[in-house]
Amino acid sequence: MTFSRQAHNRLQQGRDDLIRGFAQRRGFNGAGVAYRIRNGETTDEPVIVAFVTKKRSPALLLQEDLLPRQVNVDGVNHGIDVVEAGPFMLGGTTTFDPDAPATITGRYRPVRQGSQISNIAMDGYGSLGAIVRDLKDGWPSILSNNHVLVLNNSSTSIGQAITQPFTGKAADTVANVTRFVPYTFGVTKPNITDAALARLSEAEAKQVTDAVAEDLMEPYSTDHPCVGLFFAADPTNFYSVSAKIDNTLTEVGADLLTAEAIYVPGPPDLNAPVEKVGARSGYASSRIHAINMKFPVFMNINGGMRIAWFTDLVGVPRFGWPGDSGSTIRLGGDGDTRLPIDLGLSKCEVTGAVASMYDLPLENDIPLADRVRDQFMASSTTGNFLTQLFYLNNGVILDRTQGIEASPSEKAGAASMYDKYRNFVDSALANPDRPGLVVTRENIDDAALGLASLQGRMTAEETNATNDLFTSLVRQTEGMNHQQLVAFMNRTDVFNKVWDTTAVVPTIRALGSLYGAEHRPR
């Protein structure tokens, strides 16, 4: 499958138009060009693919956050496919835990592609991408990522020792940092690679090889060409991103030992199988999902947070983990030897922020929260509306929780409630109609304590509204079983009370994308 150059140009223009409109929206993580995926199968429809942190029903999004179904470029409509991936981060940063297990930890002499390497001054490791020829002097050098070989994007790393494997011992030095491609910051100055060179020592330069660690993959060749350099992934390791190898080599000033093995991926290569060997995960093979990707990466540089945009990238699902950064990818493989993903990591920003604020292990409770939403809240009009309120006001919640630490007493209270009710909720959802399961006075009193704690971070209007709802509605639920509670929450007067009380609070967004004030779901 492929599409015309004209269609490709329009899709790239549509990608840029989409990014201009949504780059500042929470949860929007960039865009690219791909074929639409429907029911898990790749179709032949070329589309702009939008990457979001969490796909949600349109009813749970603010109107301004709702992505269009298509964009029009030069009179031609192109569809938008939404994929849950991102936000993207450098795949082997200095914050990566060096004690996390690595698949390839052996000592290789001569050094091999895919093996474990580290800057001796840094507490972390990445992968040796390839041995390349430095175009300045022809000397053989290691190609890997800036964030693998260089500390804080700083020229002070020039000359620092690179060890193989990651031991921190000077005796394992095989190269020294020569130069790197500095990151640029801001959407108007996008990066096209994450790359650095380290000059092999004289001893290592005498025995150069293009072999791969553990012989897990054939060396690159004209029949097995190199297409990219892996450098970034999203938090669950679901989606991996590589810089194109031609861009990388041009920017860093180097060439492959077999220059003819360079391949530039384009529209004909969408859904083509690719493979790589990285120090953390070993061998993997997946398929190219997107090209011309453009997205932001948040970087901690010298203790400050900066945003670096990257463009002209290749996206491949389930292909790389932290510690694989710097590995080169090739055309080839079965396309189906994919890596596991970490479903334990939170894809909900609010959950992560609240968990951090109160020191609670909420990241592993996303499935439980989804069950509360889908099994209980979705059973009533009031429950559905409260779910909508939560999603529509994610921004407000994040503004009050991200980067904030609760007081010791607040943390203690939250931990006590969590320990008391976490398993209780799980059990209640598993068997909601069991005899004796009713709302008790103790439950309501605990809810009142929790609300009082939260009200310390609410506005006066929010406090008055929640007190009103608690007194007039929540206290009525004492003694109700599951069916009675659902029936209560389906009553029109209950729904209207919740709507009318919340709709007048200026800080609460009560209207989603499906209905305006004149069409509220009464």
Side-chain angles (χ1 to χ4, degrees):
M1 295 187 295
T2 189
F3 41 87
S4 68
R5 178 178 297 180
Q6 291 81 1
H8 190 195
N9 290 339
R10 289 196 303 270
L11 288 163
Q12 291 185 83
Q13 180 61 56
R15 174 206 67 180
D16 291 342
D17 292 345
L18 189 69
I19 289 173
R20 272 193 293 271
F22 288 86
Q24 303 303 317
R25 299 293 181 194
R26 270 195 174 109
F28 179 81
N29 301 319
V33 173
Y35 284 111
R36 185 183 296 279
I37 295 177
R38 183 175 284 115
N39 298 323
E41 298 294 327
T42 301
T43 71
D44 61 359
E45 179 192 357
V47 293
I48 297 145
V49 58
F51 300 101
V52 300
T53 302
K54 190 77 172 176
K55 290 180 71 172
R56 304 199 189 283
S57 163
L60 303 179
L61 294 171
L62 296 171
Q63 185 68 45
E64 58 263 33
D65 291 335
L66 190 62
L67 290 166
R69 294 185 179 273
Q70 59 187 19
V71 294
N72 186 284
V73 180
D74 297 333
V76 179
N77 289 327
H78 288 286
I80 294 176
D81 199 16
V82 181
V83 170
E84 194 172 286
F88 299 103
M89 59 191 67
L90 301 182
T93 63
T94 55
T95 59
F96 173 55
D97 180 1
D99 294 326
T103 298
I104 299 174
T105 59
R107 185 178 188 272
Y108 297 92
R109 300 294 184 272
V111 291
R112 289 190 170 208
Q113 299 173 36
S115 62
Q116 190 185 59
I117 58 173
S118 176
N119 183 316
I120 200 168
M122 294 165 62
D123 194 18
Y125 68 86
S127 298
L128 192 159
I131 301 300
V132 297
R133 184 178 297 106
D134 189 334
L135 294 180
K136 288 190 174 182
D137 57 13
W139 197 267
S141 301
I142 289 173
L143 172 68
S144 190
N145 294 145
N146 174 332
H147 77 262
V148 170
L149 300 181
V150 177
L151 179 63
N152 280 327
N153 198 38
S154 171
S155 59
T156 58
S157 290
I158 301 300
Q160 288 178 335
I162 303 301
T163 66
Q164 197 293 306
F166 169 49
T167 62
K169 297 177 180 178
D172 289 319
T173 298
V174 294
N176 296 87
V177 179
T178 309
R179 62 179 175 276
F180 60 96
V181 181
Y183 301 126
T184 55
F185 300 97
V187 69
T188 61
K189 298 178 180 180
N191 303 268
I192 59 174
T193 192
D194 176 1
L197 288 183
R199 177 187 175 95
L200 286 179
S201 66
E202 290 194 13
E204 294 302 320
K206 293 176 181 178
Q207 45 180 351
V208 171
T209 180
D210 60 2
V212 178
E214 303 298 308
D215 296 316
L216 293 174
M217 187 170 66
E218 292 294 319
Y220 53 73
S221 65
T222 54
D223 295 326
H224 189 223
C226 184
V227 298
L229 188 73
F230 168 67
F231 77 97
D234 71 356
T236 64
N237 302 317
F238 166 72
Y239 205 91
S240 305
V241 185
S242 298
K244 289 160 57 177
I245 194 64
D246 59 320
N247 287 341
T248 297
L249 292 171
T250 298
E251 289 290 295
V252 81
D255 208 348
L256 296 182
L257 299 181
T258 305
E260 298 79 12
I262 297 171
Y263 184 87
V264 182
D269 304 300
L270 286 169
N271 207 39
V274 288
E275 56 185 353
K276 72 107 187 69
V277 171
R280 172 78 184 282
S281 65
Y283 178 82
S285 179
S286 185
R287 293 182 180 272
I288 295 177
H289 166 252
I291 58 175
N292 305 117
M293 284 182 66
K294 185 174 184 178
F295 60 78
V297 171
F298 291 84
M299 298 183 182
N300 192 329
I301 301 292
N302 292 319
M305 193 61 66
R306 306 287 300 277
I307 301 176
W309 280 80
F310 287 80
T311 191
D312 201 19
L313 308 169
V314 179
V316 183
R318 295 175 58 183
F319 194 54
W321 286 350
D324 291 335
S325 287
S327 53
T328 47
I329 69 172
R330 327 285 174 79
L331 283 182
D334 62 9
D336 202 34
T337 308
R338 302 183 179 189
L339 299 177
I341 59 177
D342 192 347
L343 293 175
L345 290 171
S346 171
K347 291 287 284 186
C348 176
E349 287 184 281
V350 169
T351 301
V354 173
S356 176
M357 179 177 177
Y358 289 101
D359 287 342
L360 295 175
L362 301 180
E363 288 87 346
N364 295 324
D365 289 330
I366 299 297
L368 178 61
D370 288 345
R371 288 170 59 205
V372 172
R373 179 194 64 205
D374 299 336
Q375 293 177 223
F376 176 64
M377 301 297 281
S379 300
S380 66
T381 53
T382 301
N384 277 311
F385 178 61
L386 291 173
T387 296
Q388 185 185 49
L389 277 183
F390 172 79
Y391 287 118
L392 295 183
N393 292 278
N394 268 196
V396 174
I397 300 170
L398 285 169
D399 287 341
R400 300 182 190 182
T401 56
Q402 270 186 331
I404 296 173
E405 184 173 4
S407 68
S409 61
E410 288 176 318
K411 289 182 180 180
S416 176
M417 289 290 189
Y418 179 84
D419 292 340
K420 183 174 182 177
Y421 283 103
R422 194 272 174 209
N423 291 336
F424 171 82
V425 171
D426 192 8
S427 175
L429 289 171
N431 188 9
D433 295 315
R434 72 173 186 263
L437 182 62
V438 298
V439 179
T440 66
R441 172 64 63 87
E442 182 182 7
N443 299 151
I444 292 175
D445 289 345
D446 285 344
L449 286 174
L451 178 61
S453 177
L454 294 175
Q455 285 176 338
R457 302 178 188 278
M458 293 183 186
T459 66
E461 294 90 344
E462 292 166 354
T463 298
N464 291 336
T466 51
N467 281 337
D468 183 9
L469 292 175
F470 194 88
T471 301
S472 61
L473 298 180
V474 176
R475 291 201 177 278
Q476 288 189 52
T477 65
E478 184 178 347
M480 290 185 184
N481 61 26
H482 171 246
Q483 293 186 20
Q484 292 169 332
L485 190 57
V486 170
F488 178 75
M489 294 174 69
N490 266 317
R491 280 170 36 183
T492 300
D493 62 318
V494 172
F495 174 83
N496 287 346
K497 176 63 177 178
V498 175
W499 173 282
D500 292 336
T501 303
T502 56
V504 297
V505 178
T507 50
I508 295 179
R509 301 294 295 268
L511 301 177
S513 61
L514 295 189
Y515 19 69
E518 71 279 10
H519 296 121
R520 60 179 178 167
R522 281 194 157 175

